[in-house]
Amino acid sequence: MFDTLWYSRKLRVWVAQIALMGSLAALIWWIGGNTAQNLTERGIRTGLDFLSRPARFPISETILHYSPEDSFLWAFIVGLANTLWLSALTILLATVLGLALALARLSAHPMLSRLAAGYVTVFRNIPLIVQLLFFYGVATSVFPPPREAWTPLPGIYLTLRGAYAPDLFLSSSGSWLLAAIALALILTLRIAWRWPTGKALLPLPARLCAAVALWLGASIAIWHLAGRPVRLEFPELNGLNFRGGQHLSPEFCAIILGLTLYTAAFVGEVIRGGVQAVSKGQWEGGRSLGLSERQIMFRIILPQALRIIIPPMTSQYLSTVKNTTLAVAVGYPELGLVVNTVINQTGQALESILIMLGVFLTISLSVSALMNWLNARVALVER
Amino acid sequence: MTITARLAFLALPLATMMAANAGHTETTLETVRERDRLICGASQGTPGFGAPDDNGYWRGLDVETCRAVAVAVLDDKDAVDFVPLSGQQRIPALQTGEIDILPRTLTWTVQRDANGIDFTTPNYYEFTGFMMPKSLGIEKVEDMAGATVCVQTGSTTEIVVNDVSAKHQLDLQPVVFDNTSAARQAFFSGRCDALITDAGALASVRASMADRPDDYVIFPATEYVDALTPAVRHGDNQWADIVRWSIQTLIAAEAFGITQGNVDEMLNSDDPRIRRFLGTDPGNGTALGLSDDFAYRIVKALGNYGEVFERNVGMGSPLKLDRGYNALFNQGGLMFPLAFQ
């Protein structure tokens, strides 16, 4: 009976699998136990109870409300929110700029395509951290101190402490009104655009201008009728610095500019590669049908290129999320900087790093899942 | 590869790791003697406290504190390797055994003490200060309303900024940097109105980085004085004792009036306390696991605390700091020699 068991292929395979998984589990368990023992021996406090204690350290700029009396957990969340905000904004801006770069590189105009190629070469081949430090150096050395601020437009101040602009203050009806006005603009433009050509009195560009003028007039009238629910609050020089209004810090500008310009170079190349991978026959087919070059690009080539673009684009987006941790170098408080500070204040490096690992893994897997879903949707369906 | 071979492959590293775990743990003194080098944490460049000179030779008050331990243990003030560490690397580096001593402008706090490091004895007392350009015309904390402050992480100063801001309702706007030199450069470029850190480090930054040091003013951020104290790993009491008494040797030597110049004459002193201190009457050194003349060797190699201070941060240096809190207790300072007996 043992003979048959010994020679049973099925059993052997199972035993091998169980042994492998068992060793892996043992290895993880051993590493965990060893770490815990060493931490105790060195008298390092462990556990997550520090998360509820007040953080007490400042975070220089946040998109969620934070004060030093808040807990360490909230400090992590505030850092995470900054990271997500930075990632989302960079991905959006880099994709738009990347698309423009790709179209420029593909253009038949020699100067445009060479300029785009030059841009890609420069920004792709300089390490990101160097670019960030460069932009930060520019932001904090070109501009004047607050007391001698540049004012390109009334209410807008450029200083080496960043840019200040008037803040919009909305009453509750004001935000609804603003949304309605924005919606009206879209509707007006759409109607003007789609107006049946036969019945139109004006050619398309003039029609669009007329629509915008109409919308502007109507909006101003409604705004006055509604009792001016929107007002502007101007920044004022008060003591050492400007107070009030919107503030863009040099740290934020440097990291957004640096990340966007760098990522756009890669995104541009991915899109260009995708477009060029679509067979030339598609262009020729389009031309023989009498479509214009623009129509062929947007109706035939880009939809097919999208299938090729999405997988490498996923990698670019993932890199962007991870690259936001370089904001540490220019002093923008994303999750990495907050984690560093927490480690220093509490000494609980292992827990803090594990939290950061978990968070980045979650973000990356989510981006990845989203892009995979998108990929599945646009993938060629063969019947 | 067969399944057995694969399993053996997996088991091998496991077994070695288990074996490595079981070994005898050496004391720090044994490790240092075996290595014949002392490894000290150092700053990333704070001239006067710890920075390499033009020839790459490390100089500074904290550096010489380390050299005193090297003289005591290895009888060679140059048998030290310095590892530059950022504010946030320094404590993990000590805890994990990368360095033997951390004498790097480290404030003695309860949170740090309770979290895996042991403090020995203070080698420098000072206040946390703000540095501002004189042109802004501000010379005390109460006038700083709305100021932006460059702060480096990995220090107690982040919390001081918050405390000061709350206490005087100043609404200070911190700009936090991960890197010491980034915070300093941002201050000198005008990104911030003020730079906050230990006053000694501020004097060092002003002397080494400002175009015209006289254009900047330094004033205290709080009325509290911090004890900057070299630290060792938690759990090796013998090593903590050696470091503590090596630093104390510098202070006691000054209190006894023993200098690098007169230490040989002092060997013939009739004062029993001095005889015990220098090891003419044996007992102190052996109790620590060192040779009895360790204090004599330290003073012979480096001088007393006063000499070390003047040479690195005092009037004999570009920093030109007063002894202030760091004078001996009988001259109005806080430096107090413990009993060498």
Side-chain angles (χ1 to χ4, degrees):
Chain A
M1 185 215 162
F2 283 108
D3 264 12
T4 46
L5 276 183
W6 180 252
Y7 288 110
S8 153
R9 185 177 149 72
K10 212 173 176 181
L11 185 74
R12 278 194 159 198
V13 169
W14 272 105
V15 167
Q17 303 274 357
I18 290 168
L20 191 69
M21 290 313 289
S23 324
L24 200 64
L27 185 70
I28 292 170
W29 182 78
W30 173 80
I31 290 176
N34 201 14
T35 311
Q37 186 195 342
N38 281 337
L39 287 175
T40 328
E41 265 172 24
R42 290 177 188 150
I44 300 174
R45 197 163 50 198
T46 52
L48 291 172
D49 53 339
F50 73 98
L51 286 177
S52 58
R53 293 206 309 265
R56 297 188 60 218
F57 61 83
I59 298 180
S60 42
E61 54 188 301
T62 59
I63 59 164
L64 298 179
H65 185 263
Y66 172 84
S67 83
E69 288 76 39
D70 291 326
S71 67
F72 279 107
L73 181 65
W74 186 248
F76 278 129
I77 293 173
V78 163
L80 173 61
N82 279 352
T83 294
L84 289 176
W85 165 234
L86 203 57
S87 308
L89 204 59
T90 308
I91 285 177
L92 184 72
L93 293 174
T95 308
V96 173
L97 183 60
L99 182 65
L101 270 176
L103 293 178
R105 271 206 84 171
L106 289 167
S107 125
H109 194 296
M111 201 175 82
L112 196 58
S113 69
R114 279 184 201 152
L115 266 179
Y119 173 93
V120 169
T121 313
V122 169
F123 282 91
R124 207 165 53 157
N125 290 307
I126 298 174
L128 178 53
I129 186 101
V130 178
Q131 297 188 31
L132 291 179
L133 292 174
F134 172 78
F135 287 124
Y136 189 61
V138 169
T140 53
S141 57
V142 170
F143 297 103
R147 289 177 188 182
E148 299 144 29
W150 291 345
T151 43
L153 286 171
I156 294 182
Y157 300 94
L158 298 179
T159 76
L160 54 68
R161 307 271 163 84
Y164 295 83
D167 208 354
L168 268 183
F169 264 90
L170 300 174
S171 60
S172 57
S173 62
S175 45
W176 287 110
L177 190 67
L178 213 62
I181 288 176
L183 198 68
L185 176 66
I186 297 170
L187 278 176
T188 322
L189 283 178
R190 206 177 155 81
I191 291 169
W193 187 274
R194 291 285 169 90
W195 198 266
T197 325
K199 299 180 187 169
L201 299 170
L202 296 163
L204 182 67
R207 210 156 69 214
L208 286 180
C209 290
V212 170
L214 192 70
W215 167 80
L216 202 65
S219 305
I220 291 172
I222 295 173
W223 186 55
H224 277 284
L225 285 178
R228 301 183 200 186
V230 184
R231 80 189 151 78
L232 291 175
E233 191 198 69
F234 286 87
E236 268 176 47
L237 188 61
N238 184 352
L240 294 164
N241 285 296
F242 282 95
R243 299 297 188 85
Q246 286 288 335
H247 177 217
L248 271 182
S249 72
E251 290 78 27
F252 184 72
C253 296
I255 183 73
I256 279 288
L257 201 61
L259 269 178
T260 302
L261 294 181
Y262 178 81
T263 314
F266 288 89
V267 168
E269 286 299 274
V270 166
I271 297 178
R272 180 181 69 97
V275 169
Q276 285 185 333
V278 175
S279 141
K280 226 175 158 184
Q282 300 286 327
W283 284 95
E284 288 160 357
R287 283 184 201 125
S288 65
L289 285 173
L291 298 176
S292 73
E293 297 287 303
R294 180 193 296 256
Q295 279 173 321
I296 301 173
M297 179 56 118
F298 285 96
R299 308 243 156 168
I300 298 178
I301 305 297
L302 272 183
Q304 294 185 75
L306 212 55
R307 304 193 170 115
I308 308 163
I309 290 169
I310 286 181
M313 201 69 125
T314 311
S315 316
Q316 285 310 322
Y317 288 172
L318 291 178
S319 310
T320 307
V321 172
K322 288 177 279 182
N323 281 342
T324 56
T325 48
L326 289 174
V328 159
V330 293
Y332 181 78
E334 43 66 66
L335 185 61
L337 186 66
V338 172
V339 165
N340 279 346
T341 309
V342 171
I343 291 176
N344 199 321
Q345 298 299 341
T346 62
Q348 296 191 272
L350 201 66
E351 293 85 346
S352 306
I353 293 286
L354 280 178
I355 289 174
M356 184 152 86
L357 283 178
V359 164
F360 271 101
L361 197 64
T362 313
I363 301 177
S364 294
L365 288 180
S366 312
V367 172
S368 197
L370 188 73
M371 295 299 279
N372 283 342
W373 170 81
L374 197 62
N375 193 32
R377 275 203 47 166
V378 301
L380 209 56
V381 183
E382 293 191 359
R383 293 193 178 91
Chain B
M1 205 190 291
T2 65
I3 289 165
T4 3
R6 278 189 207 169
L7 284 181
F9 215 72
L10 197 78
L12 194 70
L14 263 178
T16 19
M17 280 189 280
M18 302 262 186
N21 194 24
H24 153 79
T25 43
E26 275 189 330
T27 67
T28 312
L29 181 62
E30 283 167 353
T31 315
V32 170
R33 285 223 164 108
E34 217 164 87
R35 196 197 293 135
D36 204 28
R37 299 291 283 182
L38 181 69
I39 303 180
C40 282
S43 74
Q44 290 168 315
T46 307
F49 290 88
D53 67 10
D54 295 342
N55 303 317
Y57 188 77
W58 282 84
R59 294 185 189 282
L61 184 90
D62 288 331
V63 164
E64 296 210 19
T65 306
C66 229
R67 294 197 189 280
V69 180
V71 171
V73 177
L74 302 169
D75 197 17
D76 179 1
K77 70 182 164 91
D78 293 326
V80 194
D81 291 330
F82 292 96
V83 181
L85 296 167
S86 74
Q88 32 132 349
Q89 290 168 325
R90 57 189 176 173
I91 291 175
L94 180 64
Q95 287 171 326
T96 54
E98 194 189 328
I99 55 175
D100 303 315
I101 311 175
L102 181 58
R104 184 194 171 286
T105 55
L106 185 70
T107 307
W108 191 341
T109 70
V110 64
Q111 287 293 338
R112 286 171 174 164
D113 209 343
N115 262 308
I117 63 174
D118 273 4
F119 288 90
T120 55
T121 191
N123 70 342
Y124 196 80
Y125 291 99
E126 72 174 346
F127 56 82
T128 301
F130 285 111
M131 173 156 70
M132 293 184 83
K134 274 184 186 158
S135 58
L136 293 178
I138 292 173
E139 291 190 357
K140 60 179 194 292
V141 171
E142 290 79 2
D143 297 341
M144 286 182 67
T148 45
V149 182
C150 281
V151 187
Q152 73 205 52
T153 61
S155 56
T156 46
T157 51
E158 301 168 279
I159 289 178
V160 173
V161 170
N162 171 41
D163 290 353
V164 168
S165 183
K167 183 178 169 191
H168 302 289
Q169 288 158 8
L170 297 176
D171 188 23
L172 297 180
Q173 295 161 26
V175 184
V176 185
F177 293 88
D178 193 38
N179 174 304
T180 314
S181 62
R184 293 171 183 177
Q185 274 161 13
F187 169 70
F188 284 111
S189 78
R191 172 66 185 92
C192 305
D193 297 305
L195 177 67
I196 182 170
T197 189
D198 300 328
L202 285 177
S204 165
V205 170
R206 181 169 64 175
S208 61
M209 286 180 75
D211 291 336
R212 272 176 305 188
D214 289 342
D215 288 354
Y216 296 89
V217 59
I218 295 172
F219 53 87
T222 66
E223 65 269 38
Y224 306 110
V225 180
D226 288 328
L228 304 190
T229 310
V232 295
R233 252 186 311 289
H234 187 85
D236 188 342
N237 293 352
Q238 182 197 22
W239 184 245
D241 291 343
I242 289 173
V243 175
R244 178 176 308 115
W245 289 98
S246 299
I247 300 168
Q248 271 292 324
T249 296
L250 297 170
I251 299 165
E254 189 181 9
F256 286 132
I258 306 174
T259 62
Q260 198 169 13
N262 72 10
V263 64
D264 284 309
E265 295 162 39
M266 284 298 200
L267 283 176
N268 307 320
S269 164
D270 296 328
D271 185 338
R273 287 186 72 122
I274 292 182
R275 291 176 67 83
R276 276 197 296 272
F277 175 69
L278 291 175
T280 328
D281 290 347
N284 283 343
T286 38
L288 288 169
L290 302 170
S291 68
D292 272 323
D293 63 346
F294 80 96
Y296 164 77
R297 287 188 283 109
I298 289 176
V299 181
K300 181 82 183 160
L302 300 167
N304 64 33
Y305 183 79
E307 291 173 286
V308 171
F309 187 99
E310 294 303 339
R311 183 163 63 225
N312 290 299
V313 298
M315 293 306 160
S317 76
L319 274 65
K320 308 242 180 289
L321 292 173
D322 282 332
R323 282 295 289 271
Y325 300 117
N326 297 295
L328 286 181
F329 70 103
N330 51 14
Q331 286 153 26
L334 296 170
M335 282 295 169
F336 187 83
L338 303 177
F340 272 77
Q341 48 194 305

